[in-house]
Amino acid sequence: KSTSTSSKGGNTINVGVDYELSNDLAQYGQASLDGIKLAVEEINKAGGVLGKQIKLNIQDNKSDAAEATNVATKLAGAGVVAILGPATSGNVKAVRPVVTQNKIPLITGSATADDVTLTSNGVAKYIFRTCFNDSFQGGSMAKFALENLKARTAVMYIETTSDYSKGLAKSFKEVFTSNGGKILGEEYYQSKDKDFRSVLTKIKGYNADVIYVPGYYNEVGLIIKQARDMGITAPILGGDGFDSEVVPQEAGASLDKVYFTNHYSADDTDPKVVEFRKAFKAKYNKEPNAFHALAYDEMYFLADAIKRANSTDPEKITDALASTKDFKGVTGTLSVDDKHNPIKSVVVVEWKGDKQVFVTKINP
Amino acid sequence: MMLELKDLHVYYGAIHALQGISLKVEEGEIVTLIGANGAGKSTTLNTISGLNRVQNGSIIFNGKDITRMSPPDIVKLGICQVPEGRRIFPNMTVLENLELGAYLRSDKEGIKKDLEDVYRRFPRLLERKGQLAGTLSGGEQQMLAIGRALMSRPRLLLMDEPSMGLAPIIVKDIFNIIKEINQSGTTILLVEQNARMALSIAHRGYVLETGRITLEGPAKELADNPQVQKAYLGG
Amino acid sequence: MGVFIQQLLNGLFLGSIYSLLALGYTMVYGIINLINFAHGDVYMVGAYVGFVATTVLHLGFVPSLILSMAISAVLGIVIEKVAYKPLRNSSRITLLITAIGVSLLLEYITMYIAGPDTRTFPKVLVNHEYTFWGGQISISNMQIYILVISLALMVLLQFIVQRTKIGKAMRAVSIDKDAAQLMGINVDNTISVTFALGSALAGAAGVLVGLYYNSIDPLMGIMPGLKAFIAAVFGGIGSIPGAMMGGLLLGMIETLVSGYINSNFRDAVAFIILILILLIKPSGLLGKNTVEKV
Amino acid sequence: MPPLLTLSDLTKTFGGLSAISNVNIEVHQGEIVGLIGPNGAGKTTLFNLITGVYIPTNGSLTLHGEVEINLAKASPHEIARMGIARTFQNIRLFKNMTVLDNVLLAFHTHVNYSMWEAILHLPSFNKKEAQLKKEALDLLKIFNLDRKRDTLAKNLPYGEQRRLEIARALALKPRLLLLDEPAAGMNPQESAELMELIKWMRKEFNLTILLIEHDMSVVMGICERIYVLDYGSLIAEGSPEQIKNDPRVIKAYLGEV
Amino acid sequence: MSKKMRVSILNVVVLVLVYITVQILISAGIINEYIQLNLFLLAINVILAASLNLITGFTGQFSLGHAGFMAIGAYMSAIFTLKLNLPFPLGIIAAAVSAGIIGILVGIPTLRLRGDYLAIATLGLSEIIRIIALNIDYIGGASGLPDIPRYTNWTWIFFTTVATIVIIRNFIDSSYGRACIAIREDEIAAESAGINIAYYKILAFTMGALFAGVAGALYANYFYMLKPNSFGFMKSIDILVMVVFGGMGSITGSILGAAVLTLLSMYLQNFPEIRMILYGLLLLIIMLYRPQGLMGNKELSWKVLRRGDRNAATINTQ
Ligand SMILES: Nc1ncnc2c1ncn2[C@@H]1O[C@H](COP(=O)(O)OP(=O)(O)OP(=O)(O)O)[C@@H](O)[C@H]1O
Ligand SMILES: Nc1ncnc2c1ncn2[C@@H]1O[C@H](COP(=O)(O)OP(=O)(O)OP(=O)(O)O)[C@@H](O)[C@H]1O
Ligand SMILES: [Mg+2]
Ligand SMILES: [Mg+2]
């Protein structure tokens, strides 16, 4: 079945949004949507793409895989040129067959699992992302822990229902142990938990050099606070899920020796980053987090591909996306590799008070 | 005139349960309401208590129209009911049930005195005052229901088949108690299957048939009426 | 040993939060036999009211708490009047569905107004951590507050329900509404009072827990609501000491499972224990084994 | 003739309360036996023990027949299948089922189609189900309820509910029928009709009946033998004449005339 | 008798017509992929609602764990078709059998627990199922099991749904079904009428679970992807909403309830910002106006549809 071409004629380019806007992942989905909306606003104000305005077709997938498929099918039927989202790897994988069949490109900003862009039949032709995959991010942090922090032992504190968390933990463990480190224990929490003391009591007993907490900011802020309150002093490490002002707000004065891998550091002086942060703050009156930034880049990434393809034909956009070279986004300068992962460097950032401080940069 | 029902119509959904009931109760009387199963006796009492919506007609109590009053307000006026099937509070103790009977009162002394009165009338309740009411036997529950109603010191007491399920010795007691309660100044509207007994203590009576009053008169007259004898007194 | 004691304390404090919610839950539950799914969301609204009171109105802790309890109480009454009262004679499962509707409404209206983001409270109460036993055991003042407050509320509620007139009316209404009316009890008012009380408790819990963890969001009520429901059932439906005990035990079980068995299976093991206990005591720990008299 | 049912040294306590203590009763095939006693004497408790709703604290219950059955070890539904049916003091109908379905349900123990036949609605099922319905209607006709077959049980007036309960019990095709205050809430006229019905039923269905009743005209009118319970113990046993004149019974239960 | 036959034949004819018409519309592309997806989802929900109705509506056992049974079936079928490369019918059978067996296990607590205590136990058991699934790497754990072959098509959907409805309806409409309803009405009276309540409660759970398992299999092999979190507590609630909304104790009600709520959810996709607000509001309004559900405990039948019929009148006044 070939794709509908209804979007070609009009004066707009229809872009589908399939995000987690309600239920448990609503925070992340809505954050992503905020980023996308800002980008669309800027693009349209600047005259659009190929002289056409971007029009978003926003749908809520209720944080559910089947609903994500449902919505994607609807969007495909409505003739969108590309789909942005979903936010999580599982939901992207659920949608993957739909976009493949309908030959529409999909860009996600936060589905990090390695196999999101890889199926049993090779690379998923229509799937792209602006975020790192788990191996790269988890591995980078492992290297940082070993080399910069001279850590020899680690405990991992993982969110049990999240593929992101489990994915990062897996690659952290692989790299950490294969380079001589030792994982003393793996402990688990659940998203929406608020009390972590029992497991932290246990973690305290491990006396590990570092604690790797690949999670999202909501719980991470609380974990850091409670850990420090209980007298756990080891550095706490994480991924781009740490990038939100919620972390210092929740953790307050307890924030100490907290490092995480990210796309940029808030103290980055790159004008692109500075401008984005300013624009975001003006529109939403808060600091952008990783979800905002990655989704913002999603939209520009797509716009860039449409421009280069000089067409709104999804197939051509797909090809353009696949051949992206040195696209300059907020979250880094990105090239798409043959596995549809963005090649961009990762930075390690430390939370110092409510400020992020650049520590080091790790190239792929 | 203490209580007057004027042409009362009540429906349960499509069922026309009361089809124009008119009756009167004078201060100080025992009036009995007899009739077959499903005639509408309980419906009449519940309607007076404010539990049913009146479609048509009116209820006047001491000159006051109470047709659309809420049950608690009606209790406040001094109309209390011993409901059919006892309706005691099974998960509460006997004592708590009695205390609830006095829910609207605040005269501590009076309540205490009435409680003693109830215990004197029903020594079995004193014996079991700490027991959960739900585990009482049927008869014990009936005593509790009557005792509970007395605790509100009603001016008009509506009693729905108070002798149902009671041992003969207690049935006699109950009727004696009803008489006694009446003599100490409480007006009583009594619904009974045990028509013979009811008519023997009542001043006046009404016969109810499928939602209508078919006969009325002094209790003696009714008891002697052959029609009543055949239908309600077992020939 | 120190660790074990710390774990027990962790469980106790976690449990006291469950208890705090379960108390209000069980009150409402006891009287209209309704699984008030919206209870967790009233708790959330209470937290948001506290947030607005402290950040926007710059009120102190106590005024914020009172404001939040008051607004929650009103919210509780309104919910009851609008959503539950018309359905009093319907099946309990129907009411459950309505409660879910109310719960979704509260969650997503809040999300619509305040956004989905996590908010943090300003420090109107300072957290002090006290350590004992050479740092092996640590307790914070907030934990003590919450435990003490929930214990005090339990005693207070138990007193109200068992000893006061309105409490007896509540119980009578819960057993037989018509018979209660015949006693002169105003059923509507009694139910309103119950909802007000239960919801005020939820509001208080919202502020306290919001302050303690310093993190609130529109969906924050779902899990605690569910846990409180479990705790209330566990302790015996309608039993106030039962709710307290159910909450504490649930907290303890969760903590000990994460601490000594496997944090991954925390909820699974907790549920297994819960089900086993229920199988032994089918009406909860302190629930009256109401053998129906045949 | 050996008795149909023997209760020996039967005891049941609730907490500290002895609701039944050391009761010995024999019921013979074909009898109508009365069980009377003051409120709270333990009559209903005795029924509950016989039907397996309560488990005895002590003593034994034996149902005689081709084999002797120890009822204390059986569950209520097994006891029902063995041929003991009952009615309840507080009517327990299936309120939201129709009159017909209430009776049909009680035929369940005699259903002769398999679940597969039912699920596939095979013709054999339809035939057997129609047969059941016919039997049920016949039974309802006896109780004058056939015209209300499609009424929900909860919408019946009280008296008809009592009759339906008896009809439902009969649908089990029992050997022994336990009636707990069947005349409660009936007026004398209705009670008299009920007495006729009970006598007729015994003959027609070859029943043995154990009856709890406070209405003395009913008890004295149809029972051949009467047991009197007081505070959980038997205080008298005998013919209606004997019981009527037994001073202990008069003192505890009947009251002076 | 002949009237019964006539009705049966009428039913069969209508069903065959529906089947063929939809099949033609799908082949012709008039029913596009999106409508088809929602149609299939609707049918799966019908199976779920009808099977839960058997447990909760008819037998009166308050279950909050129906999603657990669905999860078992879904994963089992996915393992059979994806991991073991076995044909779909085997997957469905495995789903039904395994969910049925779990149904027996879940049914056992019903022997001691009642009402909300039972609800908590069933909720707990389904959560246990979900948590175990989260931690089995073989089936993808938290990240889920992707790339499940899409075998579910209109033929499968149609015939399994119809079979489910017919079987449950016929069951209810027999002495066995009456036994279940009697248990709902009064357990003590049911026992005294010779009903083995333990047997029927477990039977109801087993049958209900079995069909939920089948629904799970259809779901797994249609949506490509399974995640344990799709079978959480809220999913059970969603199914319960369909049952209550349609009318507890009415199979046609379950069909209607599932249909209306599926379509509602589909329609509300157009309002992403306020979708859940609208949903909550609608739940509330619907329940307030129709507390007994669309159908109450009546069944929709040709009789009722043909107004003039006298029997229909009695059904309506019940
Ligand atoms: N809640 C109800 N819903 C529907 N119908 C009812 C209801 N209560 C009573 N009825 C019907 O109303 C009529 C009158 O019933 P009511 O209970 O008043 O009779 P009664 O004279 O008290 O009979 P009994 O002697 O059996 O107690 C009966 O036909 C009964 O079926
Ligand atoms: N489940 C129970 N728990 C505690 N006590 C009980 C229970 N069932 C019965 N009793 C007690 O046992 C005694 C006998 O009760 P039972 O119901 O058998 O009396 P009864 O002879 O049937 O009286 P009535 O004629 O009033 O119905 C009563 O005192 C009652 O309080
Ligand atoms: Mg009556
Ligand atoms: Mg009795």
Side-chain angles (χ1 to χ4, degrees):
Chain A
K1 215 181 292 178
S2 89
T3 326
S4 134
T5 49
S6 62
S7 55
K8 271 184 180 165
N11 241 337
T12 55
I13 301 175
N14 288 325
V15 174
V17 172
D18 180 347
Y19 261 110
E20 290 78 347
L21 303 179
S22 64
N23 284 352
D24 43 336
L25 303 172
Q27 277 204 23
Y28 312 120
Q30 295 211 13
S32 304
L33 184 57
D34 281 349
I36 293 170
K37 279 182 172 164
L38 176 63
V40 169
E41 207 171 89
E42 289 174 5
I43 292 170
N44 283 344
K45 206 182 260 169
V49 186
L50 306 181
K52 296 177 184 179
Q53 296 280 298
I54 303 278
K55 193 159 167 277
L56 293 178
N57 186 340
I58 303 165
Q59 303 285 330
D60 167 27
N61 64 31
K62 295 198 338 198
S63 305
D64 176 63
E67 189 70 12
T69 308
N70 193 337
V71 157
T73 310
K74 180 179 187 179
L75 289 171
V80 299
V81 302
I83 291 176
L84 304 180
T88 54
S89 304
N91 291 347
V92 173
K93 281 188 239 169
V95 169
R96 197 164 58 194
V98 177
V99 293
T100 306
Q101 263 170 33
N102 287 287
K103 303 189 192 322
I104 299 175
L106 177 151
I107 311 171
T108 170
S110 45
T112 56
D114 289 5
D115 59 356
V116 160
T117 56
L118 288 174
T119 66
S120 38
N121 316 322
V123 178
K125 185 177 169 202
Y126 295 93
I127 309 292
F128 300 89
R129 59 180 155 200
T130 53
C131 50
F132 310 114
N133 65 3
D134 292 338
S135 306
F136 181 52
Q137 199 178 175
S140 301
M141 187 39 97
K143 278 186 211 147
F144 173 77
L146 287 162
E147 288 162 17
N148 299 48
L149 300 177
K150 307 286 175 234
R152 284 293 153 265
T153 56
V155 192
M156 302 198 293
Y157 194 14
I158 306 160
E159 205 269 273
T160 187
T161 61
S162 148
D163 37 15
Y164 166 75
S165 194
K166 287 193 164 169
L168 285 187
K170 186 161 159 266
S171 48
F172 179 87
K173 183 178 178 180
E174 268 166 24
V175 175
F176 196 70
T177 48
S178 62
N179 288 292
K182 199 162 174 249
I183 302 289
L184 299 179
E186 290 173 28
E187 295 297 333
Y188 297 87
Y189 67 93
Q190 263 196 37
S191 76
K192 301 277 169 201
D193 276 358
K194 298 240 188 270
D195 199 305
F196 305 89
R197 285 172 185 261
S198 67
V199 172
L200 287 174
T201 304
K202 198 171 169 190
I203 287 176
K204 194 176 174 188
Y206 286 121
N207 255 321
D209 295 340
V210 294
I211 302 166
Y212 189 50
V213 190
Y216 292 136
Y217 45 85
N218 272 331
E219 291 85 17
V220 164
L222 299 177
I223 290 173
I224 294 169
K225 176 173 185 333
Q226 290 172 24
R228 296 298 183 237
D229 281 355
M230 293 172 61
I232 297 175
T233 51
I236 294 176
L237 319 177
D240 51 355
F242 277 40
D243 177 19
S244 163
E245 56 185 354
V246 169
V247 172
Q249 280 167 5
E250 285 179 349
S254 312
L255 205 56
D256 176 38
K257 284 194 280 178
V258 174
Y259 303 91
F260 64 100
T261 44
N262 203 2
H263 313 270
Y264 64 89
S265 159
D267 63 352
D268 203 327
T269 50
D270 181 333
K272 187 111 194 163
V273 174
V274 174
E275 239 168 75
F276 164 68
R277 289 181 57 211
K278 215 171 86 195
F280 190 90
K281 207 148 183 193
K283 184 166 164 68
Y284 298 110
N285 192 26
K286 61 185 173 195
E287 279 291 332
N289 64 31
F291 283 98
H292 296 127
L294 288 164
Y296 178 84
D297 273 359
E298 259 174 44
M299 187 61 234
Y300 270 106
F301 183 40
L302 174 64
D304 173 68
I306 297 174
K307 236 179 273 170
R308 281 185 290 110
N310 195 18
S311 159
T312 54
D313 178 50
E315 280 284 8
K316 291 194 179 132
I317 298 174
T318 306
D319 292 340
L321 281 167
S323 59
T324 304
K325 273 256 157 353
D326 295 328
F327 161 74
K328 220 170 146 17
V330 178
T331 62
T333 303
L334 140 190
S335 303
V336 174
D337 74 2
D338 55 354
K339 291 188 181 123
H340 285 196
N341 286 321
I343 315 173
K344 55 177 184 174
S345 42
V346 65
V347 291
V348 176
V349 181
E350 181 179 3
W351 273 115
K352 276 230 155 84
D354 57 359
K355 295 269 175 314
Q356 296 185 0
V357 176
F358 174 85
V359 178
T360 178
K361 186 172 206 157
I362 302 174
N363 288 317
Chain B
M1 189 70 46
M2 185 170 221
L3 179 76
E4 183 169 10
L5 310 192
K6 290 187 198 158
D7 192 30
L8 216 53
H9 288 263
V10 171
Y11 289 79
Y12 292 109
I15 300 171
H16 194 175
L18 298 189
Q19 315 180 0
I21 300 273
S22 299
L23 61 79
K24 288 177 187 168
V25 181
E26 301 278 357
E27 176 111 44
E29 271 190 320
I30 300 181
V31 173
T32 183
L33 207 55
I34 58 179
N37 290 131
K41 305 180 294 293
S42 303
T43 306
T44 307
L45 295 198
N46 287 338
T47 307
I48 297 171
S49 283
L51 292 174
N52 290 333
R53 221 178 71 82
V54 176
Q55 186 81 20
N56 232 322
S58 62
I59 308 171
I60 312 289
F61 180 67
N62 283 334
K64 194 168 174 172
D65 188 343
I66 61 165
T67 319
R68 313 223 176 272
M69 269 191 174
S70 73
D73 290 337
I74 291 172
V75 177
K76 235 173 257 172
L77 292 177
I79 302 181
C80 191
Q81 192 187 148
V82 181
E84 184 178 43
R86 296 140 196 166
R87 306 289 280 268
I88 43 112
F89 301 109
N91 292 335
M92 298 171 87
T93 64
V94 169
L95 177 60
E96 284 174 329
N97 267 276
L98 292 174
E99 285 171 349
L100 274 171
Y103 182 75
L104 288 176
R105 296 171 57 183
S106 45
D107 53 325
K108 281 225 169 72
E109 281 308 303
I111 294 176
K112 216 176 127 204
K113 195 189 141 290
D114 287 352
L115 191 61
E116 276 160 15
D117 260 14
V118 169
Y119 283 150
R120 187 177 48 73
R121 277 199 177 114
F122 306 104
R124 183 60 76 93
L125 295 184
L126 180 60
E127 239 170 77
R128 313 220 157 193
K129 68 176 177 186
Q131 188 175 330
L132 290 188
T135 62
L136 294 179
S137 81
E140 292 161 349
Q141 293 184 4
Q142 186 62 268
M143 298 177 206
L144 180 58
I146 297 176
R148 187 180 62 178
L150 291 180
M151 291 299 294
S152 75
R153 259 201 203 167
R155 301 170 64 189
L156 173 64
L157 187 58
L158 311 175
M159 304 183 91
D160 200 347
E161 305 203 26
S163 77
M164 191 205 282
L166 294 192
I169 195 169
I170 300 182
V171 172
K172 282 172 206 159
D173 280 355
I174 295 273
F175 280 100
N176 283 334
I177 289 165
I178 295 172
K179 238 157 84 183
E180 222 179 279
I181 295 169
N182 175 247
Q183 274 155 13
S184 58
T186 309
T187 311
I188 290 172
L189 178 57
L190 174 67
V191 164
E192 255 306 328
Q193 289 294 0
N194 195 336
R196 188 185 299 278
M197 280 290 226
L199 289 173
S200 77
I201 61 163
H203 301 100
R204 291 189 306 112
Y206 291 85
V207 176
L208 206 59
E209 265 173 43
T210 51
R212 286 175 218 271
I213 290 189
T214 53
L215 268 178
E216 58 173 289
K220 289 246 157 38
E221 256 172 49
L222 285 182
D224 294 339
N225 180 323
Q227 231 177 306
V228 174
Q229 283 188 340
K230 184 162 180 306
Y232 304 108
L233 302 178
Chain C
M1 189 61 202
V3 173
F4 182 68
I5 293 174
Q6 175 73 60
Q7 291 294 25
L8 282 184
L9 288 172
N10 289 340
L12 191 69
F13 295 128
L14 176 62
S16 67
I17 288 168
Y18 294 155
S19 300
L20 199 56
L21 262 155
L23 284 171
Y25 216 108
T26 218
M27 281 214 69
V28 169
Y29 202 134
I31 191 164
I32 56 169
N33 271 320
L34 160 73
I35 303 176
N36 183 12
F37 256 96
H39 192 74
D41 301 297
V42 174
Y43 152 87
M44 176 273 294
V45 172
Y48 269 87
V49 172
F51 174 76
V52 172
T54 48
T55 54
V56 181
L57 308 176
H58 301 291
L59 297 177
F61 170 66
V62 175
S64 304
L65 188 69
I66 292 172
L67 183 71
S68 162
M69 289 175 80
I71 291 184
S72 303
V74 173
L75 180 65
I77 294 175
V78 170
I79 291 174
E80 196 276 326
K81 290 263 186 274
V82 173
Y84 303 150
K85 189 177 161 198
L87 293 174
R88 262 187 216 154
N89 298 320
S90 305
S91 86
R92 304 195 32 223
I93 299 185
T94 304
L95 267 166
L96 173 76
I97 305 295
T98 322
I100 291 168
V102 173
S103 158
L104 289 175
L105 269 181
L106 291 178
E107 286 163 14
Y108 287 96
I109 288 177
T110 309
M111 192 184 281
Y112 192 74
I113 296 172
D117 303 343
T118 303
R119 307 285 176 138
T120 50
F121 266 90
K123 297 260 165 257
V124 288
L125 271 190
V126 188
N127 191 26
H128 293 293
E129 200 84 14
Y130 304 101
T131 52
F132 305 92
W133 209 331
Q136 278 199 72
I137 294 175
S138 64
I139 300 173
S140 81
N141 56 337
M142 287 294 293
Q143 289 178 323
I144 306 272
Y145 290 160
I146 291 176
L147 180 63
V148 170
I149 289 176
S150 48
L151 277 171
L153 284 175
M154 179 197 74
V155 173
L156 181 71
L157 283 183
Q158 183 69 355
F159 177 79
I160 292 177
V161 169
Q162 296 297 334
R163 289 291 141 83
T164 66
K165 215 163 162 173
I166 183 78
K168 284 198 190 107
M170 284 174 186
R171 284 192 290 149
V173 168
S174 78
I175 297 168
D176 186 337
K177 289 189 190 65
D178 277 350
Q181 296 205 56
L182 291 176
M183 301 299 102
I185 295 168
N186 187 325
V187 170
D188 289 342
N189 288 352
T190 309
I191 291 181
S192 289
V193 170
T194 313
F195 262 89
L197 218 64
S199 304
L201 288 185
V207 177
L208 277 171
V209 176
L211 266 173
Y212 173 42
Y213 291 125
N214 196 21
S215 154
I216 64 173
D217 68 88
L219 303 184
M220 70 185 270
I222 300 176
M223 272 325 276
L226 194 61
K227 293 260 162 89
F229 171 39
I230 293 168
V233 172
F234 190 28
I237 292 164
S239 160
I240 287 167
M244 183 80 207
M245 204 168 139
L248 291 182
L249 264 172
L250 186 63
M252 298 270 200
I253 292 173
E254 283 188 2
T255 303
L256 294 181
V257 172
S258 334
Y260 293 98
I261 302 178
N262 184 340
S263 46
N264 216 350
F265 290 98
R266 180 191 70 195
D267 288 355
V269 177
F271 268 121
I272 289 172
I273 294 173
L274 179 87
I275 293 169
L276 290 179
I277 291 180
L278 279 185
L279 286 178
I280 298 164
K281 278 212 76 169
S283 46
L285 290 171
L286 298 186
K288 280 173 222 107
N289 231 331
T290 37
V291 183
E292 210 181 340
K293 185 162 187 309
V294 183
Chain D
M1 195 163 58
L4 177 64
L5 176 75
T6 326
L7 314 183
S8 38
D9 288 333
L10 199 61
T11 299
K12 174 72 189 174
T13 57
F14 294 108
L17 180 93
S18 289
I20 293 289
S21 37
N22 294 311
V23 166
N24 292 288
I25 286 180
E26 284 187 354
V27 180
H28 294 269
Q29 174 65 41
E31 277 187 308
I32 299 183
V33 177
L35 185 60
I36 62 174
N39 297 111
K43 305 178 293 297
T44 301
T45 304
L46 202 67
F47 272 22
N48 285 335
L49 288 166
I50 297 172
T51 54
V53 176
Y54 292 159
I55 295 161
T57 313
N58 222 331
S60 72
L61 306 110
T62 318
L63 182 68
H64 304 269
E66 279 138 45
V67 284
E68 306 234 317
I69 300 162
N70 178 2
L71 295 180
K73 290 236 163 64
S75 55
H77 70 92
E78 287 165 344
I79 293 173
R81 278 164 188 262
M82 289 167 199
I84 300 183
R86 74 178 289 185
T87 64
F88 295 89
Q89 182 172 359
N90 308 311
I91 302 176
R92 300 186 86 107
L93 286 168
F94 305 118
K95 293 200 179 89
N96 291 307
M97 288 167 85
T98 61
V99 167
L100 180 63
D101 278 351
N102 265 276
V103 172
L104 271 179
L105 182 271
F107 278 122
H108 185 72
T109 48
H110 306 290
V111 158
N112 57 354
Y113 51 77
S114 71
M115 198 171 314
W116 299 115
E117 283 174 82
I119 284 179
L120 300 174
H121 264 35
L122 297 177
S124 59
F125 163 83
N126 286 329
K127 220 171 93 199
K128 289 169 187 167
E129 180 81 358
Q131 178 61 30
L132 278 184
K133 264 191 190 137
K134 197 181 147 310
E135 278 185 52
L137 281 173
D138 288 346
L139 192 57
L140 285 177
K141 210 168 275 165
I142 295 172
F143 290 88
N144 219 345
L145 286 167
D146 51 326
R147 268 175 312 149
K148 299 223 171 169
R149 51 178 282 187
D150 292 324
T151 312
L152 293 187
K154 67 175 176 194
N155 291 336
L156 288 181
Y158 192 83
E160 286 180 350
Q161 294 198 8
R162 282 240 173 261
R163 274 186 292 172
L164 177 56
E165 232 197 0
I166 299 175
R168 185 180 67 186
L170 277 186
L172 281 170
K173 301 182 181 159
R175 285 191 280 166
L176 174 64
L177 179 62
L178 310 178
L179 300 174
D180 197 345
E181 300 195 26
M186 292 194 176
N187 64 35
Q189 174 65 25
E190 290 162 337
S191 304
E193 286 168 18
L194 179 74
M195 276 159 69
E196 288 314 308
L197 182 68
I198 291 176
K199 280 195 232 166
W200 179 85
M201 279 180 348
R202 165 175 57 176
K203 221 172 72 211
E204 182 73 15
F205 300 105
N206 195 18
L207 284 175
T208 306
I209 293 171
L210 184 57
L211 170 89
I212 299 177
E213 187 51 72
H214 287 303
D215 184 336
M216 283 308 110
S217 60
V218 174
V219 177
M220 300 299 169
I222 55 171
C223 293
E224 279 121 23
R225 273 187 322 120
I226 297 171
Y227 286 95
V228 187
L229 274 176
D230 189 19
Y231 283 108
S233 306
L234 277 184
I235 56 167
E237 183 217 328
S239 68
E241 256 340 279
Q242 289 168 323
I243 294 298
K244 235 185 267 182
N245 300 313
D246 186 314
R248 290 217 292 175
V249 180
I250 291 175
K251 182 160 177 289
Y253 182 64
L254 294 174
E256 305 295 338
V257 191
Chain E
M1 208 48 175
S2 73
K3 194 171 167 193
K4 231 179 190 146
M5 282 304 264
R6 275 212 317 272
V7 172
S8 308
I9 291 171
L10 181 61
N11 283 335
V12 170
V13 168
V14 168
L15 286 174
V16 169
L17 279 179
V18 169
Y19 171 68
I20 293 175
T21 317
V22 173
Q23 184 64 62
I24 290 172
L25 290 177
I26 290 176
S27 312
I30 296 173
I31 291 187
N32 68 26
E33 219 184 309
Y34 175 60
I35 296 176
Q36 184 191 325
L37 184 146
N38 281 287
L39 182 68
F40 285 18
L41 192 60
L42 188 156
I44 291 171
N45 284 336
V46 165
I47 299 179
L48 289 169
S51 56
L52 178 61
N53 205 347
L54 178 63
I55 298 173
T56 299
F58 288 101
T59 316
Q61 305 302 302
F62 189 3
S63 168
L64 279 182
H66 214 54
F69 301 133
M70 183 189 178
I72 298 277
Y75 272 104
M76 205 43 104
S77 179
I79 291 171
F80 267 58
T81 54
L82 172 68
K83 299 272 185 182
L84 307 177
N85 266 318
L86 292 169
F88 188 37
L90 278 183
I92 293 186
I93 291 170
V97 170
S98 54
I101 290 172
I102 299 295
I104 297 176
L105 283 181
V106 178
I108 289 172
T110 59
L111 306 183
R112 282 183 64 77
L113 302 178
R114 235 138 259 178
D116 304 319
Y117 297 100
L118 178 61
I120 288 288
T122 49
L123 164 74
L125 286 162
S126 82
E127 279 296 284
I128 292 169
I129 291 170
R130 185 179 68 89
I131 294 167
I132 290 174
L134 271 174
N135 290 291
I136 301 178
D137 285 335
Y138 179 67
I139 53 169
S143 35
L145 189 57
D147 303 324
I148 302 165
R150 185 178 247 187
Y151 290 138
T152 303
N153 55 23
W154 172 239
T155 307
W156 277 112
I157 282 279
F158 181 80
F159 287 105
T160 41
T161 309
V162 169
T164 306
I165 300 295
V166 169
I167 290 174
I168 293 181
R169 243 216 76 104
N170 285 353
F171 175 81
I172 289 299
D173 201 20
S174 74
S175 192
Y176 302 97
R178 283 194 294 270
C180 289
I181 299 173
I183 291 171
R184 172 189 79 193
E185 292 293 307
D186 188 331
E187 289 193 11
I188 289 173
E191 266 197 302
S192 297
I195 309 285
N196 184 345
I197 56 177
Y199 175 79
Y200 283 100
K201 281 179 174 180
I202 293 186
L203 180 67
F205 259 100
T206 310
M207 271 180 77
L210 187 145
F211 287 114
V214 172
L218 295 174
Y219 177 94
N221 290 87
Y222 188 73
F223 284 106
Y224 305 111
M225 162 89 191
L226 287 180
K227 266 170 59 179
N229 282 358
S230 301
F231 305 99
F233 160 68
M234 276 317 283
K235 181 77 188 174
S236 297
I237 291 280
D238 281 346
I239 305 169
L240 188 67
V241 169
M242 292 173 197
V243 173
V244 178
F245 177 51
M248 283 197 287
S250 166
I251 293 292
T252 36
S254 291
I255 300 175
L256 271 178
V260 171
L261 285 166
T262 311
L263 296 179
L264 183 68
S265 167
M266 175 181 156
Y267 177 69
L268 289 180
Q269 284 170 355
N270 295 323
F271 309 93
E273 292 91 1
I274 49 168
R275 174 185 196 164
M276 296 310 280
I277 298 180
L278 291 178
Y279 182 65
L281 205 59
L282 282 168
L283 275 191
L284 200 65
I285 293 171
I286 290 168
M287 283 296 117
L288 287 175
Y289 281 92
R290 198 116 186 114
Q292 73 279 40
L294 289 174
M295 297 299 298
N297 54 11
K298 291 166 223 133
E299 295 291 349
L300 195 64
S301 67
W302 299 119
K303 275 195 222 159
V304 179
L305 288 178
R306 258 188 294 128
R307 276 284 149 153
D309 197 302
R310 278 172 75 198
N311 283 330
T314 57
I315 288 175
N316 279 329
T317 51
Q318 265 174 21

